[in-house]
Amino acid sequence: MKITKARLLRKKSTPAEEKLWQYLRNKRFKSLKFRRLYPIGPYIVDFVCLNQKLIIELDDSQHLEQVIYDAERTNYLEHFGFRVLRFWNNEVFEQLPSVLVSIANKVLF
């Protein structure tokens, strides 16, 4: 069920997700394998690098109204050892180099 929903979401990606995906896909970023809209437990995360246990979430204004949900989701993912980075959609459009530096700073080698 989650896989089907993830596939549907991939077809309806936001412009910010599409833009960041151009930098993360096909091992373009630090030769790391990222997956897009990937199910983890009861959640579907925007981007994940499984071998780094690094999740990247892109948020828009709706997330201002779901702070508690986002906190519970982050706690769940961190409980399983994932590190979660959150960026606002406008950061991807207006400050993409800074977003990529922030992601690079979380990569473990």
Side-chain angles (χ1 to χ4, degrees), residues 61-104:
S61 60
Q62 78 183 28
H63 288 269
L64 292 171
E65 300 167 4
Q66 60 186 48
V67 174
I68 294 171
Y69 172 82
D70 285 345
E72 290 171 351
R73 175 185 167 114
T74 297
N75 287 337
Y76 175 89
L77 296 166
E78 287 176 344
H79 175 76
F80 291 98
F82 287 96
R83 294 168 295 133
V84 180
L85 287 176
R86 289 189 170 278
F87 300 99
W88 293 103
N89 286 348
N90 69 311
E91 289 180 283
V92 172
F93 292 114
E94 298 169 11
Q95 303 168 25
L96 183 60
S98 296
V99 168
L100 295 173
V101 167
S102 294
I103 296 168

Side-chain angles (χ1 to χ4, degrees), residues 23-88:
Y23 290 86
L24 300 179
R25 63 187 291 217
N26 296 328
K27 297 185 179 182
R28 291 180 183 169
F29 186 78
K30 305 282 184 190
S31 299
L32 297 171
K33 171 74 172 162
F34 278 89
R35 297 172 188 270
R36 177 173 62 125
L37 296 166
Y38 188 79
I40 298 176
Y43 301 107
I44 297 175
V45 300
D46 291 338
F47 304 98
V48 63
C49 178
L50 293 172
N51 70 350
Q52 290 282 319
K53 297 204 89 162
L54 179 62
I55 292 171
I56 301 166
E57 290 287 306
L58 299 183
D59 297 337
D60 58 16
S61 60
Q62 78 183 28
H63 288 269
L64 292 171
E65 300 167 4
Q66 60 186 48
V67 174
I68 294 171
Y69 172 82
D70 285 345
E72 290 171 351
R73 175 185 167 114
T74 297
N75 287 337
Y76 175 89
L77 296 166
E78 287 176 344
H79 175 76
F80 291 98
F82 287 96
R83 294 168 295 133
V84 180
L85 287 176
R86 289 189 170 278
F87 300 99
W88 293 103

Side-chain angles (χ1 to χ4, degrees), residues 1-8 39 44:
M1 181 75 146
K2 288 287 181 200
I3 292 172
T4 302
K5 185 175 180 183
R7 286 182 182 146
L8 178 63
I44 297 175

